[in-house]
Amino acid sequence: AQKVTQAQTEISVVEKEDVTLDCVYETRDTTYYLFWYKQPPSGELVFLIRRNSFDEQNEISGRYSWNFQKSTSSFNFTITASQVVDSAVYFCALLNNAGNMLTFGGGTRLMVKP
Amino acid sequence: DAMVIQNPRYQVTQFGKPVTLSCSQTLNHNVMYWYQQKSSQAPKLLFHYYDKDFNNEADTPDNFQSRRPNTSFCFLDIRSPGLGDAAMYLCATREGLTDTQYFGPGTRLTVL
């Protein structure tokens, strides 16, 4: 069985602060895929990033960056200079090698205050 | 823009009165999913279609059914909604090359 843990259920920051959302996963597959989704108050799950298990390069997209560390089974997400519009629930998810099981973490609610 | 569309965005039904939620996609993806998401929880997979092949999760109640008449449309039927079925229902499609799932805006179901 596979599992995704997002230990932080809720984080509150003030605008312009940097914030890191943690994600730790468990799987027996040697090939797998990791995702981050953003769910704003409107409810839609917005795809942010996909990472396969063989690619440990960190990725940066604007104010967003992701740190994948296979040795610690972690895939952390950092928002630099946070903005009020970043307020949302963020889900980390793990897709198995067969591609038929997407397991979500419990989500982290991020509140960015002006 | 190509996308996943869900109608209606908000649905109110009465206890025991059948309700149908709809999802359509313009992405031409061959896999479609239905998830149930209750407040402050992660989405829970109900079932999915690979083309017309239906795959039911083991713990999905019999009260939930689905239909996929063609590639573009998928429906979720709740035969006798209970108060515990009040939730956000999310439809998603899967892109074949990267296996990334793309979600619709969801339908928030209220059961009175």
Side-chain angles (χ1 to χ4, degrees):
Chain A
Q2 52 187 45
K3 185 178 176 182
V4 178
T5 302
Q6 294 180 253
Q8 306 146 308
T9 54
E10 201 166 290
I11 301 175
S12 181
V13 299
V14 176
E15 207 169 19
K16 296 184 184 177
E17 284 185 15
D18 299 346
V19 59
T20 295
L21 310 182
D22 298 333
C23 173
V24 175
Y25 62 91
E26 297 173 29
T27 180
R28 292 184 178 177
D29 287 346
T30 53
T31 301
Y32 51 88
Y33 306 88
L34 295 161
F35 300 81
W36 275 95
Y37 287 88
K38 174 182 179 181
Q39 189 173 39
S42 58
E44 180 177 0
L45 274 165
V46 178
F47 165 72
L48 296 178
I49 190 171
R50 169 188 179 273
R51 176 63 46 150
N52 77 51
S53 54
F54 294 105
D55 183 0
E56 290 195 66
Q57 279 192 334
N58 292 331
E59 181 156 343
I60 298 174
S61 176
R63 296 183 298 106
Y64 294 172
S65 62
W66 290 269
N67 182 271
F68 176 32
Q69 299 229 343
K70 209 166 177 179
S71 59
T72 56
S73 297
S74 65
F75 186 44
N76 297 336
F77 173 30
T78 297
I79 302 175
T80 303
S82 60
Q83 300 176 1
V84 173
V85 293
D86 296 328
S87 297
V89 180
Y90 291 85
F91 288 98
C92 179
L94 168 68
L95 182 68
N96 63 344
N97 186 30
N100 60 2
M101 187 188 307
L102 183 67
T103 301
F104 286 90
T108 296
R109 180 177 300 276
L110 174 65
M111 292 176 290
V112 182
K113 299 177 181 177
Chain B
D1 287 345
M3 55 173 48
V4 182
I5 303 160
Q6 290 188 247
N7 286 306
R9 295 292 309 277
Y10 300 91
Q11 176 74 56
V12 180
T13 190
Q14 291 181 331
F15 183 93
K17 185 174 180 182
V19 65
T20 295
L21 310 182
S22 71
C23 176
S24 64
Q25 56 136 336
T26 59
L27 298 160
N28 205 34
H29 291 165
N30 55 4
V31 189
M32 292 186 77
Y33 301 82
W34 279 105
Y35 289 85
Q36 178 193 64
Q37 186 181 24
K38 296 191 174 179
S39 183
S40 303
Q41 295 183 20
K44 177 180 180 297
L45 182 64
L46 295 173
F47 24 60
H48 74 277
Y49 279 92
Y50 193 102
D51 290 325
K52 289 193 173 182
D53 292 336
F54 176 70
N55 297 273
N56 198 31
E57 292 301 297
D59 57 354
T60 298
D62 292 339
N63 197 24
F64 291 83
Q65 304 285 321
S66 184
R67 296 170 283 137
R68 188 179 186 188
N70 53 52
T71 301
S72 300
F73 286 88
C74 196
F75 299 97
L76 170 61
D77 301 309
I78 308 177
R79 292 191 297 188
S80 182
L83 298 179
D85 297 328
M88 173 75 90
Y89 290 88
L90 294 162
C91 174
T93 69
R94 189 176 97 200
E95 193 266 328
L97 193 60
T98 65
D99 287 330
T100 299
Q101 291 189 23
Y102 294 93
F103 287 80
T107 294
R108 189 172 296 282
L109 177 68
T110 300
V111 181
L112 300 177

